[in-house]
Amino acid sequence: RYGVPLDIIAAIWGMESNYGSFMGTLPTIDALATLGFEGRREAWAKDQLLAALKILQNGDIARANMIGSWAGAMGQTQFLPSNYLAYAVDADGDGRRDIWGSLPDVIASTANFLARSGWQRGQPWGVEVRLPADFDYARADTQQTAALWAADGIQALDGTPLPALTDSSLLLPAGARGPAFLIGTNFRTLLRYNNSTSYALGVSLLAQRLGGGAAVQTPWPRDLQALSRTQIQSLQTALNARGFETGTPDGIMGPATRSGVRDYQRSLRLPADGYPTVELLQGLP
């Protein structure tokens, strides 16, 4: 009905609630009222609280059964109240949209969310690829067709032709030393569900394995130490001071920070993959 593979739905279900076994224990109204009263996202929380009250008013769930996470996400695939109002589906026909206790409602609601957020029927999320030896890592964020990436020497690791992705880019989750993935529109749709690259990649790879596909083939550089938010903020501040603009130091790796890191890497004649490392930070005054 929605064109979203069950492997993707099952992977989200597993990531969000361990397949429905843990949906959180906090009353949603209480959690959102607290965040709306005092917190860094008060306006957002108040809007979500009003949405949650509308759900109760509609009779979809009793207040005692409306439980979820500390941030107000609810049910087996952790919908925020506003997303519930927009995308939840009564798939079992009982007159209620029950993402807590009805698996048909859970599956259909999650699929509807993705379908209406841009999921492209029949397209894969992406594929693990091999990069040519002379690849310019600074081009990883460039969006172009898979055919153009193939012309640049990008190859699928399993030797098959690259999927016909019309708007694809490269994801290097561990920098130049780690695996590389060619990702398309459906990967970016998963970011609409949870705006975290690690989350979207986790869902994608779990779905691939659930569907009988291969695990990641390229060894992960496990000696690389991830930087903390404080360390990233220190890196941003130091790069800005040296003229490598990263934007306002906030400890978050966004496009501006990756661009500044790449410029700094170029100045050192290192692969400009935009990946922050402890060595880069230690090399800055």
Side-chain angles (χ1 to χ4, degrees):
R1 182 184 305 174
Y2 300 101
V4 181
L6 277 177
D7 300 334
I8 291 289
I9 303 301
I12 291 174
W13 186 33
M15 292 279 281
E16 294 291 356
S17 69
N18 194 22
Y19 306 102
S21 67
F22 185 76
M23 294 179 279
T25 59
L26 297 177
T28 299
I29 298 298
D30 294 15
L32 291 171
T34 300
L35 292 174
F37 174 73
E38 183 177 16
R40 61 187 177 86
R41 300 171 67 186
E42 291 181 11
W44 171 87
K46 289 176 182 177
D47 288 342
Q48 294 299 325
L49 174 60
L50 291 175
L53 292 172
K54 289 180 181 177
I55 295 169
L56 293 179
Q57 187 178 51
N58 293 339
D60 284 305
I61 189 77
R63 175 170 177 174
N65 297 328
M66 183 187 270
I67 59 172
S69 74
W70 67 272
M74 315 175 301
Q76 295 192 36
T77 50
Q78 295 289 282
F79 271 34
L80 290 171
S82 60
N83 288 335
Y84 177 99
L85 290 176
Y87 305 116
V89 173
D90 174 21
D92 60 14
D94 68 352
R96 298 186 301 116
R97 298 181 292 173
D98 183 5
I99 61 172
W100 295 265
S102 168
L103 190 54
D105 291 5
V106 169
I107 293 173
S109 298
T110 308
N112 187 44
F113 182 107
L114 293 174
R116 291 176 57 186
S117 297
W119 188 272
Q120 300 297 303
R121 183 186 296 263
Q123 278 195 17
W125 64 269
V127 63
E128 187 177 1
V129 294
R130 179 182 296 109
L131 307 180
D134 60 349
F135 182 72
D136 178 7
Y137 288 93
R139 295 188 57 227
D141 290 339
T142 302
Q143 292 189 10
Q144 60 184 29
T145 66
L148 287 175
W149 284 119
D152 290 335
I154 308 297
Q155 300 175 330
L157 275 186
D158 61 6
T160 61
L162 294 178
L165 301 174
T166 58
D167 193 10
S168 56
S169 57
L170 290 165
L171 174 65
L172 307 171
R177 292 176 51 197
F181 302 93
L182 186 68
I183 55 173
T185 298
N186 286 345
F187 187 91
R188 290 189 289 275
T189 300
L190 291 172
L191 292 174
R192 296 284 302 277
Y193 201 94
N194 184 324
N195 192 25
S196 161
T197 300
S198 296
Y199 175 88
L201 183 60
V203 165
S204 300
L205 294 175
L206 177 55
Q208 183 168 295
R209 297 294 283 145
L210 290 173
V216 177
Q217 301 298 298
T218 305
W220 198 279
R222 298 190 181 278
D223 59 303
L224 280 181
Q225 180 182 346
L227 298 187
S228 67
R229 184 164 182 169
T230 299
Q231 288 175 312
I232 291 175
Q233 189 169 13
S234 297
L235 178 68
Q236 293 167 326
T237 300
L239 288 174
N240 285 344
R242 296 190 63 167
F244 301 100
E245 291 299 325
T246 64
T248 302
D250 57 6
I252 298 174
M253 279 298 299
T257 302
R258 284 197 299 273
S259 177
V261 171
R262 284 179 178 141
D263 289 342
Y264 180 57
Q265 289 170 324
R266 286 193 194 94
S267 74
L268 300 177
R269 300 186 181 277
L270 297 172
D273 59 12
Y275 186 81
T277 64
V278 172
E279 289 77 17
L280 278 179
L281 178 60
Q282 291 176 341
L284 289 163

